[in-house]
């Protein structure tokens, strides 16, 4: 390899390393990751009936933004959507607009629980900056086994009989017409 080719190769390598660093460590990289997650997000689908699992909230505790404990007994005979998320998680950020649109149309028909373990001040600022009105809850304890996940985002749909009927562990388009049809069917049952 001659000097000119070697220098060209080194410059090319430096450019690639620079681009990778830009994508991994800057807001531009986060924006690109969010955009990419939105592009590849698919509608969640319901599990087969034989795969349903019962959700028992047991002594799990979550708290709203005012610090008030959530009463899980109010979930009786209601469809519930639970989403575990964080403000630093690109796939979580990617699906928030679809969740917001779904929430605006279904907030009187479905119980939404957006759960994080982040600092409430950080979450409140995030909500305000993005004009999100999603009901956020906080926990430091592990979720019940059926809805426990170490990955973010992790979302679960629970029917009126406390059966886990859908789960998604990556960004999804929650406001798709396909998912709305499924949700409408769950509400009618």
């Amino acid at each position: 390899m001659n000097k000119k080719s070697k220098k060209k190769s080194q410059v090319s390598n430096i450019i690639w390393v620079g681009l990778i660093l830009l994508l991994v460590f800057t807001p531009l990289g986060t924006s690109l990751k969010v955009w990419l997650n939105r592009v590849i997000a698919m509608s969640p689908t319901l599990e087969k009936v034989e795969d349903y699992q019962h959700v028992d909230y047991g002594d799990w505790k979550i708290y709203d933004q005012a610090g008030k404990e959530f009463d899980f007994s109010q979930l009786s005979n209601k469809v519930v959507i639970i989403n575990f998320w964080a403000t630093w998680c690109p796939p979580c950020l990617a699906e928030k607009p679809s969740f917001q649109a779904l929430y605006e149309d279904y907030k009187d028909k479905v119980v939404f629980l957006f759960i994080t373990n982040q600092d409430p001040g950080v979450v409140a600022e995030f909500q305000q900056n993005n004009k999100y009105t999603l009901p956020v809850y906080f926990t430091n304890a592990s979720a019940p086994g059926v809805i426990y996940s170490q990955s973010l985002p992790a979302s679960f749909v629970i029917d009126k009989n406390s059966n886990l009927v859908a789960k998604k562990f990556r960004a999804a388009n929650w406001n798709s017409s396909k998912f709305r049809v499924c949700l409408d069917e769950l509400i009618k049952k």
Side-chain angles (χ1 to χ4, degrees):
M1 185 180 276
N2 64 29
K3 279 187 170 184
K4 192 173 183 179
S5 295
K6 192 173 183 180
K7 187 173 183 176
K8 192 174 183 180
S9 176
Q10 288 174 335
V11 169
S12 177
N13 288 341
I14 290 171
I15 290 171
W16 277 112
V17 168
L19 282 173
I20 290 169
L21 291 173
L22 182 74
L23 293 176
V24 172
F25 296 109
T26 69
L28 175 63
T30 300
S31 297
L32 183 61
K33 290 176 211 169
V34 168
W35 175 81
L36 184 59
N37 273 281
R38 282 189 187 141
V39 168
I40 63 173
M42 298 176 65
S43 294
T45 56
L46 297 183
E47 303 281 320
K48 295 176 186 169
V49 174
E50 58 269 17
D51 293 334
Y52 285 6
Q53 294 177 288
H54 183 76
V55 178
D56 180 7
Y57 300 101
D59 59 355
W60 187 40
K61 294 184 183 345
I62 62 173
Y63 303 90
D64 67 15
Q65 290 176 304
K68 182 181 175 197
E69 186 176 335
F70 182 80
D71 179 9
F72 284 99
S73 68
Q74 69 183 344
L75 300 182
S76 179
N77 203 32
K78 293 189 178 164
V79 175
V80 180
I81 295 177
I82 297 175
N83 172 254
F84 294 93
W85 69 286
T87 60
W88 50 262
C89 164
C92 301
L93 302 178
E95 68 182 1
K96 278 296 173 266
S98 69
F99 265 133
Q100 180 65 45
L102 187 71
Y103 174 72
E104 288 171 7
D105 290 343
Y106 284 86
K107 63 184 168 192
D108 297 327
K109 302 172 192 171
V110 174
V111 177
F112 290 85
L113 303 172
F114 293 91
I115 301 171
T116 185
N117 61 5
Q118 283 190 272
D119 176 81
V122 170
V123 173
E125 183 179 343
F126 172 81
Q127 293 271 96
Q128 183 179 358
N129 289 345
N130 292 286
K131 297 180 176 53
Y132 291 139
T133 58
L134 304 168
V136 175
Y137 294 87
F138 301 88
T139 188
N140 287 326
S142 293
V146 175
I147 59 169
Y148 175 78
S149 174
Q150 291 184 332
S151 67
L152 292 177
S155 302
F156 304 91
V157 180
I158 300 157
D159 71 8
K160 292 180 179 182
N161 297 314
S162 296
N163 293 313
L164 177 59
V165 298
K167 53 189 167 190
K168 190 80 171 171
F169 299 105
R170 65 175 83 90
N173 180 4
W174 292 94
N175 195 39
S176 69
S177 57
K178 179 181 175 184
F179 182 68
R180 283 175 169 258
V181 167
C182 293
L183 197 53
D184 289 337
E185 289 174 11
L186 290 172
I187 292 167
K188 286 179 191 174
K189 287 183 182 179

